Amino acid sequence: MAISFDEKTRIFKLDTATSTYLVKIFDEGYLLNLYYGPRIPDVNVRGRETRPANASFSLANPVIGENGFTPDTAPMEYGCNGAADFRISALAVRNAAGDSVTDVRYTGHRIVPGKPGIPGMPASYVNSGDEADTLELYAADAVTGVRVTLYYTAFRDLGVLTRRVRVENGGAAPCRVERAFSCCVDLPDMDYDLITLPGRYAKERNVERRRLAHGVQGVESKRGVSGHAQNPFAALAARGADEEHGWVYGFNLVYSGNFSILAECDFNDSTRLIAGINPTDFEWTLAPGEAFDAPECVLVFTPDGLGEMSRIFHRFYRENLIRGRWKHEKRPLLINSWEAAYFDFDTEKLAAFAKEAKTLGVEMLVMDDGWFGRRNDDTSSLGDWTVNEDKLPGGLAPLIERVNAEGLKFGIWYEPEMISPDSDLYRAHPDWCVHATGRTPMIGRHQLVLDVSRADVRDHIWGMMRRVLSSNRIDYVKWDFNRNISDAASALLPPERQKEFFHRFILGTYDLMERLVTEFPDILFENCSGGGGRFDPAMLYYSPQIWTSDNTDPLERLSIQFGTSLCYPASSMGTHVSACPRTGFETRGNVALWGTFGYELDPCKLTREEKAAVRAQVAEYHRFYELTHEGDLYRLISPFDDPCRAAWQLVSPDRRTTLVTLVTVREQFRAGVRLRLRGLDPERYYRDEATGEVFSGALLMNAGVVMTRVARRDGESAKLVFTAVEEQA
Ligand code: DGJ
C-alpha cells in the first residue's frame, strides 16, 4: 500500500516513489502536516506540534491548554480562517451567524485503492487500481456542520501526490464558501526559492526565481483564465538546488480559471504554501446538503533537482492526465494556414497548400481562423459557426474532399467561448455575452465573451459545432480563446451568487470540451489561447497538445519552451516551423523538433532548397517521434542562465538513443562549449552518428562532448545523435 495508517501514533503515511508525506491526528482532532520530504521508513517525527519558544501572543485551544500546542505555529494540515491560525488560510466559510470562523477537525477516514474522479472537472487518473492509493480524510466544524473531505492520492511508482478538497454543508442553514484551496503544505523552514513562470503574449512562461521572504508572496490570475501573465505552477527549491541537485517541491493546479498559489513565511521561519481557486471574486453558496469540489493540485517532490521534477511531471501528464486516442497514438504532422494566409484564403488556396504539402510529407492541413460567417478580419462573426461560402463555395465538403484526395487529413479552428458584436448571434442574443448590469462591457480584439456558465448558451454553441463536426470528415480541432474576462457577471445568477460566475464559466468550458472529446473521440484536439495563454494541466485533460506561443521565432522560442518544459511535456508543446527570417531553416526545425512539430507557412512559396530542408525535417520528425513524445528531457544549458546559447537533450525510454540540440543565440569568438550529457546508461557504449566514434555513457556524462566547430554563428544550431552499440568498438 502506498498509504497506511498507524493506529498507535495516529499517523497516516503516504509514500510515493520519491517522497513521504505524514499527517497526524493530534489531540482534539487537529490534523497536522508532520512531514513532506524524501522517503523515510518510520513516522515518529518529533517536535512539530509543540509551541516554539518564540511564539508571540499565540493562542491556545482551551481544552488542550496553553502548554505545547498552538494553531498559530503548528503545521496545520488544512489551515482554516479565524481560529487562531493567523497565516494565510486554505478554508474560510461564512456561516448563518455571519462570521467566518472556520475550524474543522478530524472525524474519520478511508483508504481506497485507485483514485476517484471529480464530477465535471478535469483530474489525473490511474491506469490500473494498484498504481496509487487514495486517502479520504474527513473533518468537520462542530459549530456550523461544515464538512470537509481532503483527498490525497499517492502514486507508488512516481514522485507524485495529488490533492483536492470537497466542502459540504452538513448544517441546517445555508453557508458561503469564501475560499477553499486545493492544498495546503506547511514546511518547517523557509530556506527556499520560489520559482514561477511569469510571461505575456508572445513571451510565455519565463522562469523566475526569488528567495522566500517573511510575509506572503506568490502568483495569481484574475483574468478569468489561467492566462499568459502567470501559470498555475510554482516550485519551492531549496537554496542552491539546481537542475540536478537539491530538494524541489513542484505544485501545479489542474485548473484553467482564476488561481492563486501563495507562500507565506511566518515569524516562526516556517513556510505555508496554498494553491487553489483565487478567492478574489469567488464565493460559493451551499444550501444544506450541497457540496463544492475544488480542483486538483499535483504535487511533485524530488531530492534530485528541477530537471527530475520536470521529468516526473512529464511522465505523469503523459500517462495519467492526457487521455484518449492520441495519448500514445502517433499524431499526424500538420501544416496550419494561419501564418501562411491569415484571413485571406479560399478553397483554391487551401487545396494548393494541401497539394504542395503532400509532396513534402505533411499529413494534415489545418484551416485556421476565417472560415465562418463573414470573417475576413478579426472584427466580426465569432459565434456564427456556419461556413463562409464566398471563400469556400459549396461548404467544407468540396475542400475536404480535395485535401483528402491528396492523402491529407483536415483540421479546423474554433473559438467557441467568444462572440463578435458584429455577428448574427449577437444580434439575436445580445444578452448572451458576459456583461455586468448597467455597464457596456470592455472589448478585446473586437470581441466579447459568451456566457458559457449558462446551459442554454452552451447548448447553442455545441449545436453549431456539432453540426459542422458530424457532417464533415474533420480530424483535428484547434480551440482558441483570445481575450481575458472583464465585467464578470451572469444574467442568470441572482445578485448573491454573482461571485460564482468565474468558476461556473470554467465549469461551462469543461462541459463543452468534455462533449467534444466524448462525441468525437477520434478528433485530435489542440488547445490555444492567443498562443499559450491557457497552457495548464486542465487543458491537457481534454487536448493532448497546446499551441505554445504565437511567437514562432526559434530564438525567442528557446526561453518559451524552456519555461514551459518546467512542468509540461514536449509531447504537449505545439511547435511549428514558420517563415520567420531570423534564422535558417535548420534551426527552425531543430527548435520545433522539441515539441509536436508542424509547419506554419505557405508551402507554395518555399524555394527548392527549402523544400529539400522540409523533407529532411519531416524524416527527422518521424525518426525522433518516440524521443520527443515519450522520452526524457534534460535541460543542459538554459537561455535563462546563458544569454548566448541553449542546449537540451532527449533520451529514449530505453536509454539507447539520445538527441542533443545546441542553439547559438549570440556568437562568442572562439568559444567552444562542453556539454555533459545526462540520462544515459554509464555502463553502455554509444556511437556518435556523425563521426562513428564510440564512447561510454559514463564518458559522455562526465567528460562530455566539446562542440567547437558547430553552431558557431548567431542563430545556428547543431544536433548530435548517440545510439547504443552492443559492444565497445
Ligand atoms: C491566436 C492563435 O494563437 C493563432 O495561432 C491563430 O489561431 C489566431 N488566434 C487566429 O485568430
Side-chain angles (χ1 to χ4, degrees):
M1 293 284 279
I3 300 181
S4 56
F5 179 59
D6 183 314
E7 294 282 353
K8 208 159 111 250
T9 55
R10 308 194 80 204
I11 291 175
F12 298 94
K13 185 166 191 282
L14 294 77
D15 287 321
T16 75
T18 54
S19 64
T20 294
Y21 187 101
L22 300 178
V23 186
K24 181 182 174 80
I25 309 168
F26 187 61
D27 300 351
E28 285 300 294
Y30 284 108
L31 288 168
L32 303 183
N33 180 187
L34 271 200
Y35 175 80
Y36 185 27
R39 271 189 82 133
I40 51 175
D42 44 356
V43 298
N44 284 319
V45 175
R46 297 279 182 217
R48 291 218 59 201
E49 59 270 54
T50 33
R51 186 189 187 90
N54 64 355
S56 43
F57 278 2
S58 297
L59 307 173
N61 177 301
V63 180
I64 313 176
E66 299 208 19
N67 298 324
F69 172 84
T70 169
D72 196 12
T73 59
M76 306 297 279
E77 185 56 31
Y78 195 55
C80 294
N81 185 58
D85 176 351
F86 297 101
R87 292 161 289 182
I88 40 174
S89 25
L91 181 70
V93 183
R94 197 158 293 276
N95 56 42
D99 68 74
S100 64
V101 179
T102 310
D103 192 359
V104 298
R105 314 274 182 86
Y106 172 81
T107 55
H109 72 269
R110 190 165 82 112
I111 298 171
V112 293
K115 181 173 191 291
I118 316 178
M121 283 217 271
S124 61
Y125 58 88
V126 289
N127 296 290
S128 67
D130 59 357
E131 223 177 321
D133 293 330
T134 296
L135 165 66
E136 296 178 7
L137 206 43
Y138 311 123
D141 186 319
V143 173
T144 61
V146 166
R147 289 198 290 256
V148 166
T149 306
L150 307 174
Y151 293 84
Y152 306 76
T153 301
F155 285 78
R156 201 186 321 262
D157 300 327
L158 214 51
V160 174
L161 185 69
T162 63
R163 291 185 59 176
R164 70 177 179 97
V165 171
R166 169 174 288 182
V167 184
E168 281 172 271
N169 185 354
C175 64
R176 282 176 284 149
V177 180
E178 293 185 337
R179 50 169 62 207
F181 277 74
S182 305
C183 93
C184 173
V185 172
D186 273 8
L187 300 173
D189 41 27
M190 57 177 281
D191 295 327
Y192 299 102
D193 294 333
L194 178 67
I195 298 176
T196 56
L197 297 174
R200 57 181 157 81
Y201 174 73
K203 186 123 185 72
E204 293 90 339
R205 290 171 293 284
N206 298 280
V207 178
E208 198 165 271
R209 185 166 178 156
R210 59 188 129 148
R211 192 178 174 139
L212 282 186
H214 288 100
V216 180
Q217 51 248 284
V219 289
E220 296 190 326
S221 166
K222 57 190 200 94
R223 295 168 181 272
V225 286
S226 40
H228 295 91
Q230 290 291 353
N231 195 265
F233 164 83
L236 292 177
R239 202 75 45 73
D242 59 19
E243 276 293 299
E244 289 157 49
H245 311 99
W247 289 25
V248 183
Y249 300 85
F251 303 85
N252 204 189
L253 267 177
V254 187
Y255 193 57
S256 313
N258 291 344
F259 69 85
S260 184
I261 304 180
L262 302 175
E264 179 175 7
C265 301
D266 66 359
F267 66 85
N268 193 30
D269 295 346
S270 62
T271 303
R272 167 170 295 173
L273 186 138
I274 56 175
I277 294 177
N278 191 338
T280 302
D281 283 335
F282 169 81
E283 190 176 89
W284 203 270
T285 300
L286 292 179
E290 284 182 347
F292 175 79
D293 284 301
E296 173 171 285
C297 187
V298 179
L299 286 70
V300 168
F301 172 82
T302 171
D304 297 321
L306 287 159
E308 187 60 14
M309 174 201 74
S310 300
R311 288 184 288 279
I312 296 172
F313 272 118
H314 297 172
R315 280 181 218 136
F316 187 62
Y317 290 166
R318 285 195 307 251
E319 296 301 329
N320 299 88
L321 183 64
I322 289 169
R323 303 178 287 168
R325 173 173 170 191
W326 301 102
K327 174 175 173 174
H328 290 303
E329 191 170 322
K330 195 166 177 195
R331 304 179 203 155
L333 195 168
L334 67 84
I335 187 163
N336 180 295
S337 68
W338 181 242
E339 288 188 32
Y342 296 101
F343 297 100
D344 180 21
F345 61 79
D346 57 16
T347 300
E348 292 310 316
K349 191 184 254 187
L350 293 179
F353 283 0
K355 196 176 179 55
E356 194 61 55
K358 173 66 185 172
T359 68
L360 303 173
V362 172
E363 297 163 328
M364 178 160 71
L365 175 76
V366 175
M367 176 178 65
D368 209 280
D369 193 355
W371 60 269
F372 51 90
R374 284 171 291 100
R375 182 97 164 159
N376 295 315
D377 54 31
D378 62 9
T379 60
S380 82
S381 303
L382 293 170
D384 296 345
W385 301 110
T386 49
V387 179
N388 178 336
E389 297 219 16
D390 293 340
K391 290 183 180 179
L392 309 174
L396 291 177
L399 169 63
I400 297 177
E401 272 163 29
R402 287 174 68 179
V403 172
N404 289 167
E406 296 296 344
L408 266 67
K409 294 178 185 300
F410 181 80
I412 199 168
W413 179 95
Y414 275 100
E415 196 174 359
E417 297 125 306
M418 296 293 161
I419 180 168
S420 305
D422 180 8
S423 66
D424 293 342
L425 185 67
Y426 186 82
R427 283 181 280 276
H429 298 284
D431 56 320
W432 278 10
C433 71
V434 174
H435 64 283
T437 308
R439 294 179 199 282
T440 307
M442 294 289 158
I443 199 104
R445 207 193 187 204
H446 312 284
Q447 63 199 54
L448 298 167
V449 183
L450 265 180
D451 183 359
V452 299
S453 74
R454 294 172 56 155
D456 56 347
V457 173
R458 290 202 299 279
D459 289 346
H460 177 86
I461 289 296
W462 176 241
M464 296 203 91
M465 289 179 75
R466 188 166 182 252
R467 210 164 302 139
V468 172
L469 296 176
S470 57
S471 53
N472 292 286
R473 271 188 70 179
I474 291 177
D475 300 295
Y476 163 108
V477 166
K478 177 174 172 187
W479 185 307
D480 210 340
F481 186 99
N482 284 299
R483 57 160 286 176
N484 294 316
I485 305 178
S486 64
D487 305 279
S490 175
L492 290 198
L493 287 172
E496 68 280 10
R497 283 185 171 252
Q498 288 295 340
K499 281 182 151 188
E500 296 179 13
F501 168 75
F502 272 124
H503 184 60
R504 287 188 183 277
F505 181 91
I506 291 298
L507 294 180
T509 294
Y510 294 155
D511 173 49
L512 279 172
M513 291 185 175
E514 189 65 35
R515 293 188 204 194
L516 176 70
V517 300
T518 307
E519 192 154 338
F520 300 100
D522 291 331
I523 285 183
L524 171 60
F525 173 10
E526 176 154 358
N527 207 256
C528 172
S529 173
R534 196 158 62 174
F535 207 126
D536 59 57
M539 286 297 132
L540 287 182
Y541 184 68
Y542 302 101
S543 61
Q545 57 194 54
I546 303 176
W547 182 227
T548 313
S549 178
D550 273 358
N551 194 336
T552 52
D553 174 330
L555 301 184
E556 294 288 324
R557 270 290 183 124
L558 293 173
S559 61
I560 296 168
Q561 293 178 194
F562 265 80
T564 303
S565 78
L566 237 59
C567 48
Y568 306 107
S571 65
S572 71
M573 299 197 301
T575 51
H576 295 172
V577 174
S578 74
C580 171
R582 244 178 108 199
T583 73
F585 233 85
E586 190 184 11
T587 297
R588 289 181 243 165
N590 286 343
V591 174
L593 209 48
W594 177 12
T596 60
F597 197 83
Y599 288 90
E600 185 107 6
L601 43 71
D602 182 344
C604 306
K605 289 192 180 145
L606 294 173
T607 63
R608 199 136 54 93
E609 293 71 40
E610 287 172 336
K611 283 181 187 165
V614 170
R615 286 191 194 97
Q617 288 173 350
V618 167
E620 287 185 334
Y621 159 81
H622 290 295
R623 174 161 184 223
F624 297 123
Y625 190 90
E626 204 203 356
L627 272 181
T628 49
H629 286 71
E630 311 284 347
D632 274 336
L633 170 74
Y634 293 82
R635 290 176 293 251
L636 303 181
I637 303 175
S638 162
F640 295 105
D641 298 331
D642 186 338
C644 294
R645 55 176 75 82
W648 63 97
Q649 189 193 346
L650 289 156
V651 180
S652 63
D654 62 6
R655 298 207 285 170
R656 294 184 66 87
T657 313
T658 187
L659 168 66
V660 186
T661 309
L662 169 73
V663 178
T664 298
V665 176
R666 201 182 311 143
E667 181 184 356
Q668 285 180 308
F669 184 62
R670 289 201 172 158
V673 55
R674 180 186 300 274
L675 297 178
R676 290 196 177 85
L677 305 194
R678 297 283 161 245
L680 303 179
D681 181 345
E683 312 274 311
R684 209 171 245 166
Y685 283 80
Y686 295 84
R687 174 172 288 119
D688 178 342
E689 286 209 344
T691 64
E693 289 172 284
V694 172
F695 306 98
S696 68
L699 181 148
L700 292 171
M701 292 195 290
N702 292 300
V705 285
V706 180
M707 301 179 80
T708 40
R709 289 182 205 290
V710 292
R712 295 172 79 172
R713 301 199 198 298
D714 292 10
E716 285 186 354
S717 60
K719 288 198 296 295
L720 291 180
V721 181
F722 292 90
T723 331
V725 289
E726 291 321 319
E727 283 163 35
Q728 184 182 354

